[in-house]
């Protein structure tokens, strides 16, 4: 340790370390985890975080995702006033409130779902988007409530509801309340059915556990992103249970399409146009440009 | 049947062994030791009462999984007449981890559905340890739709470690099967009464546990993840399951306080497995009462109350806009 480090107050030191270990590529260059090509970051960004060499779909944040789907004008966030609480005083190695603060600092979000009302190629829509970096995109009370408020906003606006999932499942730290969010979110879709409004469910890497086993597969149209891991139980759990190695491509979008579990796989770069086309047909609107 | 004792019940087991030995000696003894036997029996009962009076959440999850606990088919046999089991999901297979059918409860036609575990090794394997595959959930939904068509109340018994994490289960859409049930049960146009009788294991339990009444037996558990699973993720070792059980808040009384469960049904002293007949009696009284209450409600009110309750799940704070 240099003399300078010794002089620094502990707070600054910690921030330094966080920067170094950050998984977010903040430099000019980024390496594709699939084909290992070294990519110019702005190229990756302008290609919606899809590797131009191998088409690997990189993870995107909840807000970037909303930016890719919604038109720039007339966006309004829904449910931002809903904030997490520590119901159970949950503590493992870390206290739940500390975990929340760490996740909030790392993502700039205050929970794992961001919902926005706006339009997709001028068609009104409400879009919910998961932030996977927020405690694995896990679904707790705030995710459930924001989801429901999003559905209600869609009903009020007579607009379709779209959800982009990226989640490891239910949030253990909220105990049974998080399990009940599965029932809550699935039930809320009845409101869309009542008003004949489409629910488009987009499953991205990864969509697992309690999110997968609730609203995710209840879409009128269920779309998978290429190569996304989608399933109920995690591959490691299955391997331990059945004591076999899993088949190649197991639980990936392409596998699910073949098994009849999803309607289609859509490349991220075509997603906005595809969603607009789907909702315009279902809503009996004229075709969009 | 010989009583199986759990680890924490060892003091009771020792006493019971002693009683057993004395009984054996009594036959060819000139001394009357029956008084000593009844003294020990009383002591054993007292001990059971004290032990069960302060069970930890982890001990309760052991009781919830007790191999001699009454299972769904035990309740059906004792409380339902003319039970006709209706098999299969009409599409792929019959899943023995979920049983269900039509029957009469106090003369009233009902549909009854529940997870089923096995008693001996052979039956345990046949029932897949009470872990359903998608077919099980789809069979349950088939039965619920039947109930709706004929306006029959649905009674479910929940007792599963969780939905089966297998290759075939994933291939046939485990997620979709569970999600579909959650969606349909939210608006099923008949009264639905759900009771957790043993293990309420995550989504696999919830998939038949959305209803107008959600009850739990005193020593049953209901959890988003098994204590072992939670411990191995958060503590990096399943050994810490008892800490996880504590932290997750999985017991009936805790969940009642949290407002997630309507009714905690008391068990006989020392757990349901010690006295099946008594357990059946109190289950019958509870179901009777709740069925009467729900049948009296207009359908619209029933559905609205169920839906509003579902929407109220979760705790959060709200900032002033």
């Amino acid at each position: 340790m240099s003399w300078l480090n010794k002089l620094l107050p502990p707070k600054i030191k910690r921030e330094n370390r966080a920067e170094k270990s950050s998984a977010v590529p903040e430099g000019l260059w980024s390496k594709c985890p699939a084909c290992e090509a070294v990519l110019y970051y702005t190229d990756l960004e302008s290609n919606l975080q899809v590797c131009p060499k191998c088409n690997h779909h990189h993870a995107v944040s909840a807000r970037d995702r909303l930016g890719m789907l919604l038109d720039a004008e007339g966006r309004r966030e829904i449910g931002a006033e809903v904030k997490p609480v520590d119901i159970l005083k949950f503590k493992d190695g870390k206290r739940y409130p500390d975990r929340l603060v760490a996740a909030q600092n790392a993502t700039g979000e205050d929970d794992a779902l961001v919902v926005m009302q706006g339009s997709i190629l001028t068609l009104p829509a409400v879009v919910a988007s998961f932030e996977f970096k927020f405690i694995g995109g896990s679904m707790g009370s705030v995710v459930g409530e924001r989801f429901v408020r999003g559905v209600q906003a869609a009903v009020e606006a007579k607009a379709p509801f779209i959800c982009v999932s990226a989640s490891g499942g239910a949030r253990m730290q909220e105990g049974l309340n998080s399990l009940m969010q599965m029932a809550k979110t699935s039930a809320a879709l009845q409101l869309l059915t009542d008003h004949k409004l489409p629910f488009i469910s987009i499953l991205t890497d990864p969509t697992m556990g309690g999110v997968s086993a609730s609203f995710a597969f209840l879409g009128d149209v269920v779309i998978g992103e290429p190569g996304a891991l989608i399933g109920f139980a995690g591959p490691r759990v299955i391997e331990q249970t059945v004591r076999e190695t899993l088949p190649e491509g197991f639980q990936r979008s392409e596998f699910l399409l073949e098994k009849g579990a999803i309607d289609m796989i859509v490349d991220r770069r075509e997603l906005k146009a595809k969603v607009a086309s789907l909702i315009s047909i279902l809503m009996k609107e004229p075709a969009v440009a | 049947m010989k009583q199986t004792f759990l680890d924490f019940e060892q003091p009771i087991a020792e006493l019971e062994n002693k009683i057993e030995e004395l009984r054996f000696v009594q036959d060819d003894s000139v001394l009357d030791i029956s008084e000593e036997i009844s003294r020990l029996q009383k002591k054993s009962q007292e001990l059971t009462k004290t032990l069960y009076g302060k069970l930890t959440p982890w001990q309760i999850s052991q009781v919830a999984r007790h191999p001699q606990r009454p299972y769904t088919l035990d309740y059906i046999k004792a409380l339902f007449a003319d039970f006709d089991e209706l098999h299969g999901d009409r599409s792929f297979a019959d899943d023995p981890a979920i049983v269900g059918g039509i029957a009469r409860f106090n003369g009233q036609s009902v549909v009854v559905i529940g997870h089923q575990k096995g008693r001996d090794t052979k039956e345990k394997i046949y029932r897949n340890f009470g872990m359903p595959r998608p077919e099980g959930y789809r069979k349950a939904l088939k039965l619920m739709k039947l109930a709706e068509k004929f306006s029959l109340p649905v009674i479910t018994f929940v007792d599963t470690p969780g939905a089966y994490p297998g290759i075939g289960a994933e291939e046939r859409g485990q997620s979709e099967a569970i999600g579909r049930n959650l969606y349909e049960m939210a608006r099923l146009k008949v009264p639905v009464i759900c009771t957790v009788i043993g293990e309420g294991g995550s989504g696999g339990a919830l998939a038949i546990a959305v209803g107008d009444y959600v009850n739990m037996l005193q020593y049953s558990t209901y959890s988003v993840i098994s204590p072992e699973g939670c411990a191995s993720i958060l503590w990096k070792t399943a050994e810490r399951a008892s800490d996880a059980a504590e932290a997750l808040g999985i017991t009936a009384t805790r969940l009642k306080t949290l407002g997630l469960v309507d009714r905690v049904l008391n068990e006989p002293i020392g757990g349901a497995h010690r006295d099946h007949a008594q357990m059946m009696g109190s289950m019958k009284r509870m179901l009777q009462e709740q069925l009467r209450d729900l049948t009296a409600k207009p359908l619209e009110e029933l559905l609205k109350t169920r839906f509003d309750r579902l929407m109220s799940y979760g705790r959060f704070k709200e900032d002033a806009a």
Side-chain angles (χ1 to χ4, degrees):
Chain A
M1 201 185 277
S2 78
W3 64 271
L4 179 67
N5 269 334
K6 278 182 196 161
L7 281 177
L8 286 170
K11 208 173 174 188
I12 297 178
K13 265 190 255 173
R14 215 176 304 132
E15 278 170 6
N16 259 343
R17 211 181 308 141
E19 218 168 88
K20 239 183 249 167
S21 64
S22 166
V24 190
E26 282 175 287
L28 274 173
W29 302 94
S30 172
K31 196 174 179 184
C32 174
C35 70
E36 304 204 321
V38 177
L39 309 165
Y40 196 43
Y41 193 70
T42 45
D43 282 353
L44 192 58
E45 211 170 6
S46 63
N47 205 34
L48 304 186
Q49 303 286 345
V50 178
C51 174
K53 300 269 189 323
C54 74
N55 279 342
H56 175 71
H57 283 51
H58 291 232
V60 285
S61 74
R63 263 174 222 276
D64 286 351
R65 174 69 71 173
L66 291 167
M68 292 171 190
L69 283 174
L70 285 167
D71 300 337
E73 307 80 36
R75 294 181 195 170
R76 178 175 77 92
E77 189 164 347
I78 293 165
E81 65 282 2
V82 180
K83 307 269 198 289
V85 291
D86 181 16
I87 317 155
L88 297 173
K89 308 272 169 269
F90 194 97
K91 184 172 181 273
D92 46 280
K94 222 176 186 177
R95 286 168 61 239
Y96 179 42
D98 296 341
R99 238 178 239 282
L100 287 172
V101 170
Q104 283 158 354
N105 290 339
T107 61
E109 302 298 343
D110 42 32
D111 213 304
L113 189 75
V114 183
V115 186
M116 270 192 203
Q117 183 165 2
S119 58
I120 300 175
L121 298 178
T122 72
L123 296 164
V126 175
V127 184
S129 172
F130 274 81
E131 177 55 64
F132 185 73
K133 290 208 172 84
F134 196 100
I135 319 187
S138 55
M139 176 160 69
S141 300
V142 173
V143 170
E145 181 65 18
R146 286 184 182 170
F147 185 96
V148 169
R149 289 187 189 196
V151 168
Q152 286 163 341
V155 168
E156 244 164 73
K158 299 189 176 63
F161 183 71
I162 293 121
C163 182
V164 188
S165 299
S167 171
R171 188 171 298 167
M172 288 179 283
Q173 290 86 350
E174 291 187 20
L176 200 69
N177 259 301
S178 66
L179 187 74
M180 292 309 166
Q181 302 311 308
M182 293 171 64
K184 176 172 174 169
T185 51
S186 305
L189 298 175
Q190 292 277 3
L191 299 174
L192 295 172
T193 306
D194 289 345
H195 295 85
K196 294 190 166 40
L197 295 168
F199 170 43
I200 312 288
S201 181
I202 302 162
L203 315 181
T204 75
D205 190 51
T207 299
M208 304 300 293
V211 167
S212 166
S214 56
F215 59 83
F217 279 98
L218 297 175
D220 297 304
V221 180
V222 181
I223 300 171
E225 265 204 337
L229 186 75
I230 302 161
F232 174 67
R236 209 163 41 96
V237 174
I238 298 173
E239 249 169 355
Q240 281 165 2
T241 310
V242 301
R243 289 167 213 283
E244 301 176 38
T245 33
L246 302 174
E248 180 76 18
F250 182 65
Q251 293 183 317
R252 297 285 167 187
S253 288
E254 296 71 16
F255 177 89
L256 268 79
L257 185 71
E258 190 197 309
K259 295 293 171 194
I262 58 176
D263 293 295
M264 55 171 83
I265 295 174
V266 180
D267 187 295
R268 189 180 291 159
R269 290 159 293 189
E270 285 141 30
L271 192 58
K272 183 173 182 174
K274 180 55 77 183
V275 170
S277 160
L278 289 169
I279 58 181
S280 69
I281 293 173
L282 293 174
M283 301 278 291
K284 298 170 191 146
E285 300 275 351
V288 285
Chain B
M1 198 191 343
K2 200 165 159 29
Q3 176 84 40
T4 310
F5 290 98
L6 300 168
D7 279 349
F8 69 88
E9 292 179 315
Q10 276 321 303
I12 309 174
E14 278 165 30
L15 264 180
E16 291 291 327
N17 277 339
K18 215 165 171 184
I19 294 167
E20 207 46 41
E21 274 168 31
L22 282 178
R23 272 207 191 109
F24 189 70
V25 188
Q26 191 182 23
D27 296 339
D28 39 35
S29 164
V30 277
L31 287 164
D32 183 19
I33 47 172
S34 64
E35 213 168 280
E36 174 68 4
I37 292 178
S38 65
R39 194 185 64 81
L40 285 177
Q41 272 171 335
K42 210 170 157 211
K43 198 174 163 194
S44 165
Q45 271 168 15
E46 288 294 317
L47 189 64
T48 310
K49 209 170 166 181
T50 346
L51 268 179
Y52 272 77
K54 45 174 194 203
L55 293 184
T56 66
W58 177 237
Q59 286 169 336
I60 289 176
S61 43
Q62 304 304 305
V63 181
R65 298 170 185 169
H66 196 288
Q68 284 158 339
R69 226 176 143 73
Y71 295 152
T72 294
L73 283 174
D74 299 314
Y75 288 100
I76 292 179
K77 204 173 157 207
L79 304 178
F80 296 80
D82 304 335
F83 174 60
D84 271 313
E85 184 170 356
L86 302 176
H87 294 271
D89 70 342
R90 299 268 168 80
S91 144
F92 181 77
D94 183 36
D95 184 352
I98 288 185
V99 294
I102 49 175
R104 288 177 206 278
F105 179 81
N106 281 341
Q108 185 180 359
S109 302
V110 298
V111 162
V112 55
I113 302 166
H115 299 101
Q116 181 63 33
K117 293 179 176 178
R119 293 269 176 224
D120 55 37
T121 310
K122 203 176 148 199
E123 202 201 349
K124 278 182 183 154
I125 292 167
Y126 173 65
R127 301 286 181 192
N128 199 31
F129 302 88
M131 293 188 282
R133 298 180 165 93
E135 304 76 76
Y137 297 112
R138 292 183 180 131
K139 169 168 74 178
L141 183 59
K142 175 197 81 174
L143 292 169
M144 291 187 262
K145 286 290 173 187
L146 179 81
E148 195 169 51
K149 179 170 176 184
F150 294 99
S151 301
L152 311 178
V154 175
I155 294 169
T156 75
F157 296 109
V158 178
D159 190 14
T160 178
Y164 186 61
I167 295 176
E170 293 287 332
E171 288 176 341
R172 298 190 296 276
Q174 186 75 288
S175 288
E176 192 272 347
I178 294 172
R180 181 71 52 196
N181 280 16
L182 304 181
Y183 174 80
E184 295 288 350
M185 291 183 87
R187 279 281 178 84
L188 200 73
K189 294 187 191 73
V190 288
V192 182
I193 301 174
C194 314
T195 308
V196 184
I197 56 171
E199 284 182 280
S202 195
L206 183 65
I208 61 165
V210 177
D212 304 300
Y213 276 113
V214 178
N215 310 302
M216 279 180 81
L217 296 200
Q218 189 180 4
Y219 303 121
S220 67
T221 58
Y222 197 1
S223 182
V224 61
I225 183 169
S226 73
E228 291 92 333
C230 176
S232 62
I233 296 170
L234 292 180
W235 280 267
K236 316 281 175 216
T237 164
E239 309 268 297
R240 300 291 294 275
S242 110
D243 295 298
E246 188 83 44
L248 284 165
I250 60 178
T251 62
T253 41
R254 187 80 197 277
L255 294 169
K256 176 87 172 37
T257 321
L258 289 169
L260 297 170
V261 164
D262 299 300
R263 166 96 184 253
V264 179
L265 184 62
N266 279 335
E267 295 188 22
I269 289 167
H273 57 281
R274 280 199 165 74
D275 192 342
H276 280 213
Q278 196 189 330
M279 190 69 249
M280 297 300 150
S282 34
M283 177 69 81
K284 184 173 184 178
R285 281 188 296 279
M286 179 186 74
L287 292 178
Q288 223 163 259
E289 195 185 293
Q290 295 185 339
L291 211 49
R292 199 180 311 129
D293 172 48
L294 295 177
T295 321
K297 273 188 187 165
L299 182 65
E300 210 160 299
E301 188 193 327
L302 186 81
L303 294 184
K304 188 179 184 306
T305 314
R306 189 191 305 162
F307 195 79
D308 289 349
R309 201 249 291 256
L310 285 165
M311 291 306 113
S312 77
Y313 281 140
R315 299 273 183 92
F316 47 84
K317 59 186 177 195
E318 208 161 333
D319 287 356

